[in-house]
Amino acid sequence: MEHSKANHGLSPKEGSNWTGVQQKNAYARLVQQHHSGRFKFYLNYIAQKLQLEDASHEDTVCDRDCTIESLQEGSVKSGLHSNMVPPYEKNSASRFEKGCAIGDPDRKSEVVTYRIGRYGNEDGDFDQKEKLFSAKIQFPKGNYDFESRKESQAEKQMPKSQACSKGVSREILYDGGDRRGFSRIRNKSECASSPPSVDRRRQISESHGESMFNTQTIVSPLQTGTARGANHSSGSTPHDKKYNKTRKRNIFEAYLSREEVSAGLKRGELIQGSLRINPKKFHEAFLPSPDGLRDIFIDGVVSRNRALNGDIVAVKLLPREQWKVVKPEACDDDKTSVKADAAQQAEALHHVRDGSKSPDLIIEAQFECGIEDDLHSKLSCNVGNETKDKPGSSEVKKVPSNATRQNQMTDDGLQKTAKVVYILEQKHSRAATGFIKLMTDKNGELAKKFALFSPIDHRLPRIYVPLADCPEDFLIRPQDFASTLFICRITAWRADSNFAEGKLMKSLGQAGEIEPETEGILTEYGVDFSEFSNNVLEYLPQNLPWTIPQEELENRKDLRKECIFTIDPATARDLDDALSCKLLPDGNFEVGVHIADVSYFVAEGNALDLMASERATSVYLVQKVIPMLPRLLCEELCSLNPMADRLTFSVIWKITPQGKILEEWFGRSVICSCVKLSYDHAQSMIESPDKLLGVGELPPVSSDHTVEEIQQAVLNLHLIAQNLRRQRFEDGALRLDQLKLSFTLDKENGMPQGCYIYNYRDSNKLVEEFMLLANMAAAHKIYRRFPELALLRRHPPPQTKLLNDLIEFCDQMGIKLDFTNSGALHKSLNDQFGADEYSAARKEVLTNMCSRPMQMAVYFCTGMLRNETLFHHYALNVPLYTHFTSPIRRYADIIVHRLLAAAIGCGPPLQLPQEAIQKQADHCNDRKTASKRVQELSAELFFSVFVKECGPLESEAMVMGVLNEAFDVLVLRYGVQKRIYCNALALQSSHFQQVGKKPELTLVWSPELNGDEPVQQVISIFTLVEVVLKSDNVPLKYTAVLKRPGAEN
């Protein structure tokens, strides 16, 4: 086997540390002794690495994303894939993945698991030797079955000159991975057989289990040309090489100019959209497809071109032969996946705060799942198509070049791929929470100026931060800051570096503590939690206590003598809606919804208005609220507190007991609430209509009204609400109730003392129906008067591809659901199951699955959307809808109030043009999404702390997904989702099979005592199991453990 210097692209004069003879003898001898194609691949790789030019002194720390993946990108781009080196057989790849990710069950004692830890060593083995092109190459440890695979036919036929890469220079990119994925086991309590570590806000990419070398190819520049995202030449001259030693080459492509992007978008050559990076496979990103079908796939960090999650980007589609081949059987292998627990599947855990009474929020929050990427693959897995021999679905396979095969390949089997060419708008805050450490090469030039910041969120790059920003003792005692959380803001990201540059903003405190973690979450998601400035506060009423001016009273409908009351959570402070109900002589009712008139205090265009428009929404955490408005307004002057005169915007209907509206009136009013009822108070009245609550059982009641009068009004409202609700669902509305977690906190230290599933009762439904009715009435009113300026809220239908996957899944599981429209889905979902506990649990699982294809409801300006059919709200099944009922906590409602005042002639015209209204609508959408995610993370934080402080916690769980070496469960008592790995259980063996079309996993438990028989347990979708939630030794991390069948509590 001949190997000349030309084969490796370097001569001794050109910087090689080995002589040609040494390389030839050592390499040839090893290759001759080992015939495994995989082993040859490693040897090829090692040979190239050992001959690369010395790294430039400009960057002594190797780039974080240097994995082999971009070599595959380069090969695909050049029309070459796996035929330049021995191709990988699927069986071998799968076996390699299994050994690397969670261990081969037959060789558990030999396997070392590589994982990323939330608070562990995040930089992997490269912490020991960060200089990638060192003479000693550090590979991840593990027992790789090199001899398990026979040499492929393509390998045997390959010219020897192609066996090794030719002239691979140090600038070749290794895109798509992260060295942190090859981290050492981060604490001694985690053994090789335990499941991979999972974080609160991020996790290792599932493809990390596939290892750095799985299904990748070493590609010669002479064969491929320039790798994607790199500008290096394929055939470097000696002069070029000498020059390259002092000049770093670009990793990322230069952005197009604004003019080129604008022209490209107009011609349809470019596509614009919001970038969504998969937190579980952070090298994968997606963009909504204009055709509404399968999302556009953006593979790798280089193709993402420095764009961050949420950014509005322009992308260019890659040629069709580079599109991703999507096959049902290419489902995520469990052994290569590290899927989400409560931290990563918060999209399915819809946390509802105690103060979250708004009915439209309850309805719409379910459809605002921002990440369906991994859920899509999970649905595909659930239909039972995964096999042990299939590689992970994240692999991008080249479309066959054969014309016949291409013609046979339908678009259903392909996913369009693209690369980012421009960032139109940086939606991401560019702020990150993480940890700092010294550079490994402490004598390098960079180490004298910078420290390395490692973000918790894997989707962000690692960042160089000036040492001047670091604490004074950091250089002397860096170990003291190993568990200290810091906030860093990215200031630049050059095209020639995988590392961003940033500024260290502040130290938050110890990782795992509630307040530092909360501040980090708020900062990362761009939530402004600072105190309001004097410039803003000067627009508040200054003469306190404030009273309503007489001239204002004269211009409003005086309702202060009416029996009007609020129904809210007991702890609510921002009371922005009240109800009234009066029986009329003709047997009908006069029902009023009265909303705080925030627009009276927030004049359009002043500093207070600008601040509210920027915040756009209040953010409700478990322990506190970050208000949109100063507390003087949201808790006092605007809040409809009992026995206080308050300015309101009212809609009053004359309505029949059956819920038919006979008359409607909109106008500005003044009210005086007679009592602040909680949902519990109202529920007690509904459940015991003949029992009159005593004065001591209620909060203080105004002397102008009796408890009996209030109770009768509540009962009348409940009667009408029941009829409204029944009619609404008969008309085709959809509701997907998911488990929502609430907490009880210690009054002194704020720590969680208990948690429970929020119970949505008739009192909640009462308020919901009338808030919905008011919102719909306001939408029709402002749209009729301002058809070009109305701010409405629409909900698009489910995503077609995900919906089709769900339909296929239900068909294979024998579940009869009708997905024709929202009403049919609601009816079939509720008719599918009985009333017993097992049926209720099955419904929870299926409801969770049905929520995944749902899109987000969004605000929009009617003048910017010409097709009126697109105004439709899918879940509510109504043509027009908006938000009117919560102006204290939503800026969109303030705009609607201004439009409504102008429409009925009691306010000035809105000053904003169409474009400005749409821009504000987009901003409200962004902030609502961020707020929702922050609320979810807050709930996850508190639940993690609760498990640590009060665990272990036992609960029933229902299986909602079965893979070949793991299964996912919905923990019914707490509403969280967890993955349970077979190799973390005391099993003799496990066996995956298809029973018909249904996936089934048979677990054989090891005997507890000598002489006992093994216990067999069958796991399939909808199986009820017992689990225990246990806190790990790592902050904010807990795992679910399956209890042995028949085990005592």
Side-chain angles (χ1 to χ4, degrees):
M1 192 173 187
E2 292 294 325
H3 291 269
S4 65
K5 287 181 284 188
N7 286 74
H8 304 282
L10 289 175
S11 68
K13 293 181 180 180
E14 293 169 339
S16 173
N17 294 325
W18 287 12
T19 66
V21 174
Q22 289 172 321
Q23 165 62 20
K24 173 183 176 182
N25 292 342
Y27 185 79
R29 184 167 57 253
L30 283 171
V31 171
Q32 288 169 357
Q33 291 175 353
H34 297 276
H35 298 287
S36 165
R38 185 182 299 277
F39 190 73
K40 289 182 183 179
F41 173 79
Y42 293 128
L43 296 180
N44 284 334
Y45 175 76
I46 293 171
Q48 292 172 61
K49 300 294 286 183
L50 294 178
Q51 293 190 83
L52 291 174
E53 295 177 306
D54 292 334
S56 166
H57 292 294
E58 297 178 25
D59 193 353
T60 58
V61 182
C62 63
D63 290 340
R64 112 177 213 191
D65 297 299
C66 295
T67 69
I68 304 299
E69 277 196 15
S70 69
L71 294 179
Q72 186 183 31
E73 287 186 353
S75 65
V76 171
K77 182 173 182 180
S78 304
L80 301 171
H81 186 52
S82 59
N83 55 350
M84 290 167 292
V85 295
Y88 282 56
E89 296 173 357
K90 291 183 178 179
N91 290 3
S92 301
S94 177
R95 186 160 182 179
F96 178 77
E97 292 159 6
K98 288 182 267 187
C100 203
I102 58 175
D104 189 324
D106 299 326
R107 300 164 56 202
K108 288 183 180 178
S109 62
E110 300 176 4
V111 177
V112 177
T113 303
Y114 294 94
R115 64 193 70 198
I116 176 66
R118 163 67 172 80
Y119 296 106
N121 177 2
E122 298 176 343
D123 303 307
D125 292 334
F126 288 91
D127 283 346
Q128 302 172 6
K129 203 70 178 177
E130 289 239 21
K131 205 166 185 177
L132 179 62
F133 306 112
S134 164
K136 294 183 179 180
I137 303 299
Q138 299 289 332
F139 288 100
K141 299 177 182 179
N143 196 330
Y144 307 124
D145 189 6
F146 295 139
E147 280 74 24
S148 65
R149 176 191 161 278
K150 295 182 179 180
E151 192 170 355
S152 70
Q153 189 65 27
E155 177 185 354
K156 294 176 181 178
Q157 297 175 355
M158 185 186 307
K160 292 182 179 180
S161 61
Q162 293 184 9
C164 301
S165 296
K166 302 176 183 179
V168 180
S169 66
R170 68 171 295 273
E171 289 84 5
I172 284 187
L173 307 173
Y174 305 102
D175 167 40
D178 190 324
R179 286 197 311 274
R180 288 176 287 182
F182 306 104
S183 173
R184 298 184 296 271
I185 295 177
R186 65 181 175 188
N187 59 64
K188 294 180 181 179
S189 67
E190 296 185 16
C191 64
S193 62
S194 64
S197 300
V198 182
D199 302 338
R200 168 175 60 82
R201 272 174 283 167
R202 67 173 184 178
Q203 73 181 43
I204 182 175
S205 160
E206 293 181 34
S207 66
H208 281 168
E210 298 168 14
S211 174
M212 186 172 180
F213 310 105
N214 184 32
T215 66
Q216 308 299 335
T217 57
I218 295 292
V219 183
S220 167
L222 294 177
Q223 296 167 322
T224 66
T226 304
R228 190 186 334 164
N231 296 327
H232 60 273
S233 171
S234 59
S236 301
T237 65
H239 177 269
D240 292 333
K241 294 176 181 178
K242 185 175 181 180
Y243 175 72
N244 288 337
K245 291 182 180 181
T246 58
R247 176 179 176 271
K248 293 185 67 177
R249 300 190 179 187
N250 283 351
I251 293 170
F252 302 101
E253 290 185 2
Y255 294 130
L256 299 181
S257 67
R258 185 82 187 194
E259 294 74 19
E260 290 173 317
V261 171
S262 179
L265 290 171
K266 289 179 181 177
R267 290 193 299 264
E269 298 172 355
L270 303 178
I271 298 173
Q272 174 181 335
S274 177
L275 185 72
R276 194 174 68 253
I277 304 174
N278 190 343
K280 308 175 186 78
K281 297 182 181 180
F282 60 86
H283 62 282
E284 293 184 351
F286 301 87
L287 203 74
S289 178
D291 58 17
L293 299 177
R294 184 180 284 120
D295 288 341
I296 297 170
F297 181 56
I298 300 173
D299 183 31
V301 176
V302 171
S303 294
R304 208 155 67 225
N305 204 356
R306 294 164 285 170
L308 301 183
N309 189 59
D311 286 353
I312 305 299
V313 298
V315 302
K316 182 178 181 180
L317 290 180
L318 298 177
R320 192 175 188 275
E321 59 268 18
Q322 295 184 32
W323 291 1
K324 181 180 178 181
V325 178
V326 181
K327 296 182 180 180
E329 64 270 18
C331 195
D332 284 342
D333 192 300
D334 172 61
K335 297 183 180 182
T336 67
S337 63
V338 185
K339 282 203 177 178
D341 61 352
Q344 289 82 29
Q345 292 211 4
E347 289 73 21
L349 169 62
H350 295 281
H351 166 64
V352 173
R353 66 180 179 91
D354 287 342
S356 179
K357 64 171 178 60
S358 172
D360 39 295
L361 174 66
I362 293 171
I363 282 182
E364 295 186 351
Q366 311 151 52
F367 306 110
E368 296 178 3
C369 299
I371 301 176
E372 291 88 8
D373 318 315
D374 199 52
L375 301 178
H376 172 204
S377 63
K378 185 176 174 181
L379 268 181
S380 301
C381 286
N382 282 341
V383 304
N385 288 323
E386 61 283 306
T387 64
K388 294 187 178 182
D389 296 332
K390 299 296 181 183
S393 63
S394 62
E395 178 185 354
V396 179
K397 300 180 182 180
K398 181 185 171 185
V399 178
S401 58
N402 183 281
T404 303
R405 294 183 63 188
Q406 275 199 355
N407 291 335
Q408 293 173 348
M409 179 69 70
T410 64
D411 285 344
D412 286 343
L414 296 178
Q415 183 173 22
K416 296 175 182 177
T417 58
K419 61 180 179 180
V420 174
V421 296
Y422 194 78
I423 301 177
L424 293 162
E425 185 177 358
Q426 291 186 348
K427 292 285 189 179
H428 191 279
S429 66
R430 265 56 185 175
T433 305
F435 305 91
I436 58 173
K437 69 171 188 177
L438 293 174
M439 299 287 190
T440 303
D441 185 1
K442 298 180 176 59
N443 297 322
E445 290 299 318
L446 278 174
K448 297 177 182 178
K449 300 178 181 178
F450 298 101
L452 190 63
F453 179 89
S454 295
I456 290 171
D457 189 344
H458 276 295
R459 294 172 293 183
L460 298 173
R462 289 194 290 178
I463 305 165
Y464 292 137
V465 294
L467 286 173
D469 293 346
C470 299
E472 293 182 2
D473 297 338
F474 174 66
L475 277 173
I476 303 172
R477 300 182 59 83
Q479 66 275 11
D480 291 352
F481 301 90
S483 60
T484 302
L485 279 177
F486 289 87
I487 284 287
C488 176
R489 192 172 299 277
I490 295 175
T491 57
W493 193 353
R494 300 196 318 271
D496 61 357
S497 175
N498 276 325
F499 290 78
E501 300 170 15
K503 181 174 179 58
L504 211 59
M505 305 303 292
K506 65 179 296 187
S507 169
L508 297 176
Q510 287 299 303
E513 295 182 0
I514 287 178
E515 288 309 314
E517 294 282 355
T518 297
E519 185 173 345
I521 293 170
L522 293 171
T523 305
E524 284 186 23
Y525 283 86
V527 176
D528 184 356
F529 56 94
S530 62
E531 296 295 328
F532 290 93
S533 67
N534 292 332
N535 185 38
V536 170
L537 297 177
E538 70 181 19
Y539 287 94
L540 300 177
Q542 301 298 313
N543 298 322
L544 301 177
W546 179 82
T547 57
I548 301 173
Q550 184 61 35
E551 59 271 20
E552 190 63 32
L553 288 173
E554 294 173 358
N555 294 328
R556 291 176 179 260
K557 188 179 184 71
D558 193 342
L559 301 174
R560 288 177 289 179
K561 297 299 182 182
E562 300 294 328
C563 179
I564 298 175
F565 48 86
T566 60
I567 304 177
D568 289 276
T571 56
R573 295 182 179 179
D574 50 351
L575 314 180
D576 46 19
D577 61 80
L579 294 167
S580 63
C581 184
K582 182 167 60 176
L583 179 63
L584 300 176
D586 60 2
N588 295 315
F589 294 95
E590 182 182 272
V591 174
V593 171
H594 315 277
I595 307 301
D597 190 359
V598 177
S599 60
Y600 172 85
F601 296 95
V602 183
E604 185 175 1
N606 65 22
L608 176 59
D609 182 48
L610 294 177
M611 174 58 73
S613 69
E614 182 62 30
R615 293 196 176 196
T617 181
S618 295
V619 180
Y620 292 87
L621 308 174
V622 171
Q623 76 276 35
K624 60 185 176 182
V625 179
I626 310 300
M628 180 182 75
L629 296 169
R631 296 192 184 275
L632 177 63
L633 291 184
C634 63
E635 295 181 5
E636 296 184 44
L637 302 186
C638 291
S639 183
L640 307 183
N641 298 327
M643 279 81 81
D645 293 352
R646 290 292 181 258
L647 301 178
T648 52
F649 223 126
S650 297
V651 53
I652 300 175
W653 301 282
K654 182 178 180 181
I655 191 169
T656 68
Q658 291 73 35
K660 182 179 180 181
I661 296 175
L662 304 176
E663 297 177 10
E664 180 180 271
W665 177 87
F666 272 100
R668 280 184 148 148
S669 57
V670 54
I671 69 167
C672 181
S673 172
C674 62
V675 65
K676 176 191 174 185
L677 297 177
S678 69
Y679 283 121
D680 290 335
H681 296 137
Q683 188 65 29
S684 297
M685 295 176 181
I686 292 170
E687 292 177 352
S688 304
D690 298 328
K691 176 186 175 183
L692 186 65
L693 295 181
V695 177
E697 298 178 84
L698 291 175
V701 178
S702 169
S703 59
D704 295 334
H705 303 280
T706 65
V707 173
E708 184 177 10
E709 181 183 7
I710 295 169
Q711 184 164 338
Q712 189 58 52
V714 170
L715 293 174
N716 290 337
L717 286 171
H718 173 58
L719 171 67
I720 300 170
Q722 284 182 309
N723 292 324
L724 286 171
R725 188 178 185 85
R726 181 173 58 252
Q727 186 61 49
R728 195 161 57 81
F729 286 115
E730 287 178 359
D731 291 340
L734 167 68
R735 182 179 180 85
L736 296 176
D737 286 315
Q738 296 190 54
L739 301 178
K740 305 168 182 72
L741 197 59
S742 296
F743 297 84
T744 56
L745 306 180
D746 187 289
K747 293 182 179 180
E748 294 184 0
N749 58 27
M751 295 290 285
Q753 287 183 321
C755 63
Y756 57 93
I757 296 295
Y758 187 82
N759 189 13
Y760 193 71
R761 299 173 294 177
D762 286 340
S763 56
N764 301 85
K765 296 173 184 176
L766 183 158
V767 176
E768 174 185 4
E769 290 306 317
F770 290 106
M771 297 303 112
L772 287 174
L773 197 61
N775 284 333
M776 288 185 281
H780 282 275
K781 178 70 75 174
I782 63 175
Y783 182 59
R784 281 196 299 266
R785 180 63 181 84
F786 301 111
E788 300 294 318
L789 295 176
L791 178 67
L792 301 184
R793 187 164 176 82
R794 65 188 183 93
H795 181 217
Q799 298 179 64
T800 305
K801 182 64 179 68
L802 292 178
L803 185 62
N804 290 338
D805 290 339
L806 179 60
I807 292 172
E808 181 183 0
F809 165 77
C810 290
D811 179 62
Q812 295 184 359
M813 293 299 298
I815 299 171
K816 305 299 182 184
L817 289 184
D818 186 351
F819 293 92
T820 305
N821 52 52
S822 55
L825 176 58
H826 178 87
K827 186 177 186 303
S828 60
L829 186 61
N830 284 275
D831 293 346
Q832 182 75 27
F833 304 107
D836 58 287
E837 289 187 9
Y838 178 71
S839 295
R842 291 185 70 195
K843 184 180 176 182
E844 294 293 349
V845 169
L846 198 55
T847 297
N848 185 281
M849 294 177 179
C850 288
S851 70
R852 294 170 184 172
M854 301 299 169
Q855 299 194 64
M856 296 173 61
V858 292
Y859 300 110
F860 70 102
C861 177
T862 53
M864 304 298 288
L865 203 59
R866 297 301 176 186
N867 187 352
E868 194 169 311
T869 60
L870 297 178
F871 296 4
H872 185 261
H873 197 291
Y874 174 81
L876 298 175
N877 195 30
V878 294
L880 300 176
Y881 188 71
T882 193
H883 275 167
F884 160 72
T885 55
S886 297
I888 290 178
R889 61 184 180 86
R890 290 190 306 233
Y891 187 77
D893 300 53
I894 295 179
I895 295 179
V896 170
H897 277 227
R898 290 170 180 163
L899 287 167
L900 197 55
I904 62 178
C906 63
L910 195 67
Q911 299 174 16
L912 295 176
Q914 274 184 21
E915 293 76 10
I917 295 176
Q918 183 59 50
K919 185 175 181 180
Q920 184 63 52
D922 292 338
H923 181 66
C924 288
N925 292 330
D926 293 339
R927 298 320 306 158
K928 185 174 179 65
T929 300
S931 171
K932 178 177 177 294
R933 184 65 184 133
V934 166
Q935 292 175 44
E936 292 167 347
L937 290 173
S938 178
E940 292 167 13
L941 167 62
F942 272 79
F943 188 67
S944 298
V945 172
F946 179 71
V947 174
K948 178 182 177 181
E949 297 295 324
C950 304
L953 308 175
E954 295 187 2
S955 172
E956 272 193 322
M958 180 163 278
V959 177
M960 56 188 305
V962 178
L963 303 173
N964 58 344
E965 288 291 347
F967 55 96
D968 296 326
V969 297
L970 177 64
V971 183
L972 297 174
R973 183 174 296 175
Y974 304 107
V976 299
Q977 298 177 46
K978 297 293 291 182
R979 172 159 290 188
I980 297 176
Y981 294 87
C982 293
N983 68 342
L985 305 175
L987 302 179
Q988 277 189 351
S989 64
S990 64
H991 175 65
F992 176 85
Q993 63 179 345
Q994 302 285 348
V995 179
K997 294 182 178 180
K998 301 177 183 179
E1000 186 177 279
L1001 189 60
T1002 301
L1003 309 180
V1004 181
W1005 291 82
S1006 301
E1008 290 187 284
L1009 300 174
N1010 292 333
D1012 289 353
E1013 291 294 322
V1015 178
Q1016 184 170 297
Q1017 184 178 17
V1018 177
I1019 302 294
S1020 60
I1021 294 175
F1022 299 132
T1023 298
L1024 268 178
V1025 296
E1026 292 283 337
V1027 299
V1028 179
L1029 302 180
K1030 295 181 178 180
S1031 180
D1032 294 347
N1033 294 328
V1034 181
L1036 305 183
K1037 181 179 179 295
Y1038 66 95
T1039 55
V1041 179
L1042 181 67
K1043 291 182 65 175
R1044 177 190 295 268
E1048 296 182 0
N1049 292 335

